[in-house]
Amino acid sequence: MKATAFDQYVTLVRQGLRAEFVDKERLVSPVLFALTMLILFAFALGDLDQSLRIKVYLAETLLTALFALQLSFSRLFEPDRQDRVFDLLRTYPVSYSSLFLAKYTLVLILGSATLIPTMLFGAFLHQSANQSLFSWLVLGISILALAGLGALGVLLSVLTLKAQARQILYPILYFPLTTPVLLAAIQSARLCLEAGVTSPELKSWIGLLVGFDTIYITLGILLFTELMDES
């Protein structure tokens, strides 16, 4: 019986998770990098005014998570390239859309495993008696940002897969394209913590964030097959 696209997707996700758990360094290193950066920021900035805590917390956590996730994204297809998985895929009727969605799901899972500890630890470092920085809504906004960054990361990873200067080319393409997603995420999170969910501008920024997520995910699905055929 021929496997459906959904069966292929589930199999690819399981295989990807199994490969990640075999090489635990790929799981631990982004989290350790993020926590180390937060500690360095905390010692460098010292005590902050109450009015600056929210802005510094969001800038530190989201930007630190971005750099940590970029390490994971840039190595996303390394196991497949080393094991010649792409050559083998051409001999099997595997849907490239299923492969993209499987890699994207893997990025969301591993990215959340980096993002959540980063935000919790950052809130702990900058907490005060008068203000609680951790918010479930802010965490949801950050995961929405991860959704856009993840789709972009998967797409650019396969785009630069065989480039000779891949380690240089990838960040040159990746960081400028993340600007609208990060801007919308930081503004949404700041309004949520400062003005609450009743802020009239909050829905606009979240809508902008969802819009860019939709664009990047759609582009990923549409372009991934073409890029795989050329790789």
Side-chain angles (χ1 to χ4, degrees), residues 95-147:
S95 168
Y96 286 149
S97 297
S98 299
L99 178 60
F100 171 80
L101 292 175
K103 288 292 184 181
Y104 181 56
T105 302
L106 189 63
V107 162
L108 292 180
I109 294 172
L110 299 178
S112 297
T114 300
L115 181 63
I116 293 173
T118 301
M119 298 202 69
L120 287 172
F121 191 63
F124 170 76
L125 290 176
H126 294 292
Q127 68 180 347
S128 65
N130 302 324
Q131 189 177 50
S132 176
L133 293 177
F134 181 77
S135 167
W136 289 107
L137 180 57
V138 172
L139 179 60
I141 291 171
S142 301
I143 292 176
L144 275 178
L146 173 63

Side-chain angles (χ1 to χ4, degrees), residues 2 5 24 27 42 51 53 59 69 94 104 116 125 143 163 166 170 172 175 191 196 211 216 224 231:
K2 183 178 179 180
K24 294 182 174 58
L27 296 173
S51 59
R53 287 183 182 275
L69 292 171
V94 175
Y104 181 56
I116 293 173
L125 290 176
I143 292 176
R166 184 171 183 269
Y170 181 89
I172 290 176
F175 287 121
L191 289 170
Y216 286 151
F224 188 80
S231 61

Side-chain angles (χ1 to χ4, degrees), residues 15 29 58 64 67 81 99 113 125 141 187 214:
Q15 184 274 334
S29 59
L58 293 176
T64 298
F67 286 118
R81 186 173 63 173
L99 178 60
L125 290 176
I141 291 171
Q187 290 293 337
T214 304

Side-chain angles (χ1 to χ4, degrees), residues 41-228:
F41 277 127
F43 277 102
L45 295 173
D47 293 332
L48 296 171
D49 293 337
Q50 195 71 23
S51 59
L52 294 176
R53 287 183 182 275
I54 291 176
K55 295 178 181 178
V56 171
Y57 163 66
L58 293 176
E60 285 183 6
T61 53
L62 290 180
L63 290 178
T64 298
L66 167 68
F67 286 118
L69 292 171
Q70 192 267 336
L71 296 175
S72 299
F73 294 162
S74 62
R75 300 182 299 177
L76 184 62
F77 287 96
E78 285 298 325
D80 305 274
R81 186 173 63 173
Q82 293 174 0
D83 297 336
R84 301 184 64 185
V85 171
F86 296 115
D87 295 333
L88 295 175
L89 284 175
R90 291 186 173 88
T91 65
Y92 294 93
V94 175
S95 168
Y96 286 149
S97 297
S98 299
L99 178 60
F100 171 80
L101 292 175
K103 288 292 184 181
Y104 181 56
T105 302
L106 189 63
V107 162
L108 292 180
I109 294 172
L110 299 178
S112 297
T114 300
L115 181 63
I116 293 173
T118 301
M119 298 202 69
L120 287 172
F121 191 63
F124 170 76
L125 290 176
H126 294 292
Q127 68 180 347
S128 65
N130 302 324
Q131 189 177 50
S132 176
L133 293 177
F134 181 77
S135 167
W136 289 107
L137 180 57
V138 172
L139 179 60
I141 291 171
S142 301
I143 292 176
L144 275 178
L146 173 63
L149 298 178
L152 183 62
V154 175
L155 184 61
L156 293 182
S157 291
V158 72
L159 176 64
T160 59
L161 189 63
K162 290 191 175 181
Q164 293 183 352
R166 184 171 183 269
Q167 298 300 325
I168 299 175
L169 182 61
Y170 181 89
I172 290 176
L173 295 174
Y174 179 74
F175 287 121
L177 292 173
T178 61
T179 301
V181 175
L182 286 175
L183 178 62
I186 289 178
Q187 290 293 337
S188 301
R190 182 184 62 81
L191 289 170
C192 177
L193 291 176
E194 290 182 348
V197 295
T198 58
S199 173
E201 299 179 10
L202 181 60
K203 290 183 179 180
S204 299
W205 283 109
I206 292 180
L208 182 64
L209 177 58
V210 172
F212 275 103
D213 286 356
T214 304
I215 291 172
Y216 286 151
I217 294 171
T218 304
L219 285 176
I221 294 174
L222 294 178
L223 298 178
F224 188 80
T225 299
E226 298 296 327
L227 294 174
M228 285 296 297

